[in-house]
Each structure stands twice: as C-alpha cells, then as structure tokens.
Amino acid sequence: MPKHIILDTDPGIDDSLAILLALASPELALDGISTIHGNVSTAQTTTNALSILELANASHVPVYKGCDLPLVKESLLSPETHGDTGLGYAKLSAPQAQAQAQHACDFLIEKIMSSPDEITLVAIGPLTNVALAIRKEPHIIQKVKEVLIMGGAIRHQGNTTPLAEFNTYVDPHAAHIVFHSGMPIILTPLDVTYQCIFLKEDLDRLLKIDSPITKFISDATRFYMEFHDEYQKIDGCVINDPMTLALTFMPEICDYEELYVDVDISTGVGLGNTFADFYNYDKKAPNMKVALGVRPRMFMELFLERMEKLAKSIS
Ligand code: BDR
Ligand code: CA
C-alpha cells in the first residue's frame, strides 16, 4: 500500500525536484499539493506546481493555493536563489489546469481529518499554511500520521541570515506554532541537506536521457548551481526538499535524535534561528525527531535512479 502524502510547497527549484521525486516513487501516493509563499509569490508557486505536474503527465494531482503572506513578518521572496519565476532558467508552458477552489488550509484540514493516521504531510516551504490549519482545526494534530519538515539549521550556520535557515526565517511565528503543536515531527535541517550536493556529474548522468524532464532539471539546476557558486562557493547545488521527501519511504538515509527544538521569534539577530536543547537544560520532553546524520550518496543514487526512470517514461 503506498503511503499517502500531501506536499506543502513553494516551488522553487528544489521543491520542483521534490514533486518529481514524489511522482516517480511507487512507495507514495501524492494526494495533493498545497502551495505557499516563499521562494516566489503564492500565485507563482501555484502556477509552477501546476506546470510541473503537467510536465510529468500528472495533472490529476489537485493543487490548492495557500497563504500569500507570513503570519506576522513582512514577505520575503528569494529570486536570487531560484530566479524571478522560481524555476531558474527553465521555461515551462503555462498550465492548462487551474488550482482547486478550496483554500490550502481547508484542504489540509479536510484531508487529514477524513483519513485519520493515514496522511503524511511533507512541508518544504515556510510553515504558514500548516500553522493556520492547526489554529483552525487543532484536532489535525492527533489525526496526522507524521509531518516531515524541511527547515532550520541546528548546528549548521544559516543560509538566509548567519543564524537562520530560509523557511524558518521567512515565517518564524508559523514554525513556532508547528514546533510546539504536539504533531509528530521529523525535521530535516541544513545540517543534513548541506551534505547532499547535486553535482555537475550527476546532471551529466541525467542528461544522457533526452527528455523534457532532464531538460527541465538541467535548466533549473544550472541557475541554482550558479547561485551556490556565487553566494556560498559550493560546487553544485543543495537539493534540500527532495531529500526531505525521500525520508518518507527511505528513512535510513538519515540518523535521528529526539530533541526539544525551539525557534527564535524575538526581534534580534537570531530571528528564525532553530536550536536544540542537547543537554536537556530545560527538562522538556523532545518535540521532534531531528535528522543530524546522513548517507549522502544513498540519497543521491535514489534521486538519480528515480529521475532516470521518470525521464525515460516521458519523452
Ligand atoms: C529551503 O529554502 C528554499 O530556498 C528551498 O526551497 C528549501 O525549502 C532551504 O533553506
Ligand atoms: Ca522549498
């Protein structure tokens, strides 16, 4: 039986790779995509989600448009990382399909409440939709099977400020609500994603297959690699979001610690910083499992194999 997942996402170059990995993985049934502001506006992330589904012949997957602004802070988008459209140099056709009329938060609530202990929520953008859904219907906390979150930097430096990772910096108040909700959370912070670099050699391997999928991956990641080179002196690019998605069916890619993790919502230099109480100073029970060790090539081989298979099926 495939695992039923919902992707809450802001595509976004690595988000789009997570959508493709979900579609290419028989272990998963993608029940829907909820979109969120983040890398680009929600109007654009919604268009991108629909276009990526069409590229992969998966227009049957419903897309629900979510919140366009963080709960408290001003909006922060990331065109320097993902390009003005959010997909780097890739140019996808405008989607034929439209988003569903239902708001993303209501979709999350309806789906989780109607399928108790069956839905795995994979949140790979700022957590605004998830936080609002919790506030509107707190019973989803007990009904959701698990929540995988790409966000935070525990021992690692930030990628948006010296101390904060992008998703937790963009909406730290939403992250605060979700982290302290009691949901069963598995966190994938930069500590593990920054060890999984998609290299030019990996791209060259995919490009041996002539397909709209490999062309898209190439056009999108070329921009992302230029960003990583210019801003972080990294050769290749960090594909955070598909790594998080992969843990839904291949958890052995990472090693985990159960920890009490918090996020800074004060207004100082640490805003959006995530920190774990490793020595249990505060005597609080762990509120999540945190991925802190990783087998990078195990993930990358899985990702490449799945993309090759998907590319071969779409020419
Ligand atoms: C996260 O922020 C975005 O740039 C990526 O899509 C990823 O979800 C990494 O910090
Ligand atoms: Ca993302």
Side-chain angles (χ1 to χ4, degrees):
M1 279 282 282
K3 200 169 200 176
H4 287 266
I5 66 162
I6 298 173
L7 256 181
D8 190 73
T9 176
D10 60 331
I13 294 170
D14 57 336
D15 297 80
S16 62
L17 301 179
I19 295 173
L20 294 179
L21 182 59
L23 296 172
S25 298
E27 299 88 347
L28 300 177
L30 180 55
D31 286 351
I33 290 179
S34 51
T35 60
I36 188 65
H37 65 89
N39 294 319
V40 282
S41 70
T42 311
Q44 187 68 56
T45 60
T46 306
T47 301
N48 291 349
L50 291 163
S51 294
I52 293 153
L53 289 171
E54 285 186 17
L55 174 77
N57 290 343
S59 308
H60 57 278
V61 176
V63 174
Y64 300 83
K65 187 167 176 242
C67 302
D68 199 33
L69 291 172
L71 295 184
V72 178
K73 275 181 73 195
E74 285 183 357
S75 168
L76 176 74
L77 308 178
S78 188
E80 73 289 352
T81 314
H82 296 265
D84 288 338
T85 67
L87 299 178
Y89 295 123
K91 299 225 176 319
L92 295 182
S93 330
Q96 309 266 306
Q98 288 190 343
Q100 307 293 309
Q102 190 178 33
H103 191 279
C105 293
D106 293 320
F107 164 66
L108 292 177
I109 292 169
E110 191 182 295
K111 194 75 196 167
I112 293 168
M113 291 303 288
S114 63
S115 322
D117 207 29
E118 269 187 21
I119 303 296
T120 294
L121 176 59
V122 185
I124 54 178
L127 288 164
T128 320
N129 286 339
V130 185
L132 274 186
I134 288 171
R135 283 292 187 258
K136 190 169 181 193
E137 177 46 277
H139 290 108
I140 63 171
I141 294 166
Q142 285 80 37
K143 303 273 186 201
V144 73
K145 184 178 170 69
E146 57 187 354
V147 184
L148 283 97
I149 296 174
M150 192 287 121
I154 302 297
R155 292 191 175 106
H156 201 275
Q157 67 269 38
N159 63 355
T160 301
T161 74
L163 291 168
E165 181 275 334
F166 182 75
N167 292 336
T168 54
Y169 182 74
V170 169
D171 199 339
H173 304 89
H176 197 270
I177 290 172
V178 176
F179 284 10
H180 298 295
S181 67
M183 277 180 161
I185 295 172
I186 299 168
L187 188 76
T188 312
L190 301 184
D191 306 62
V192 284
T193 64
Y194 263 66
Q195 296 183 53
C196 296
I197 314 276
F198 180 72
L199 301 167
K200 176 77 176 40
E201 297 93 274
D202 297 319
L203 178 58
D204 289 342
R205 172 171 153 186
L206 292 181
L207 282 172
K208 291 196 178 120
I209 302 164
D210 183 19
S211 155
I213 297 288
T214 49
K215 178 167 172 29
F216 168 75
I217 295 173
S218 171
D219 292 344
T221 57
R222 198 156 33 91
F223 186 96
Y224 211 29
M225 286 184 191
E226 286 173 9
F227 161 80
H228 281 80
D229 180 33
E230 187 182 337
Y231 284 78
Q232 301 176 342
K233 298 281 163 279
I234 289 174
D235 199 11
C237 58
V238 183
I239 51 173
N240 313 271
D241 294 341
M243 223 214 94
T244 305
L245 187 278
L247 300 183
T248 57
F249 64 94
M250 205 182 269
E252 61 272 25
I253 290 170
C254 285
D255 296 320
Y256 308 84
E257 279 189 55
E258 300 222 358
L259 289 164
Y260 181 80
V261 175
D262 209 340
V263 55
D264 189 347
I265 52 170
S266 61
T267 50
V269 292
L271 182 62
N273 176 234
T274 48
F275 49 99
D277 190 359
F278 284 100
Y279 292 149
N280 198 218
Y281 293 115
D282 289 338
K283 306 275 175 277
K284 289 185 175 155
N287 58 350
M288 61 182 75
K289 268 168 64 174
V290 186
L292 287 173
V294 62
R295 292 164 194 82
R297 285 319 294 181
M298 186 190 278
F299 161 67
M300 205 54 80
E301 277 305 314
L302 169 81
F303 177 72
L304 293 171
E305 278 169 22
R306 296 290 163 98
M307 290 305 104
E308 285 172 336
K309 205 167 129 223
L310 184 67
K312 282 180 190 155
S313 72
I314 295 167
S315 49

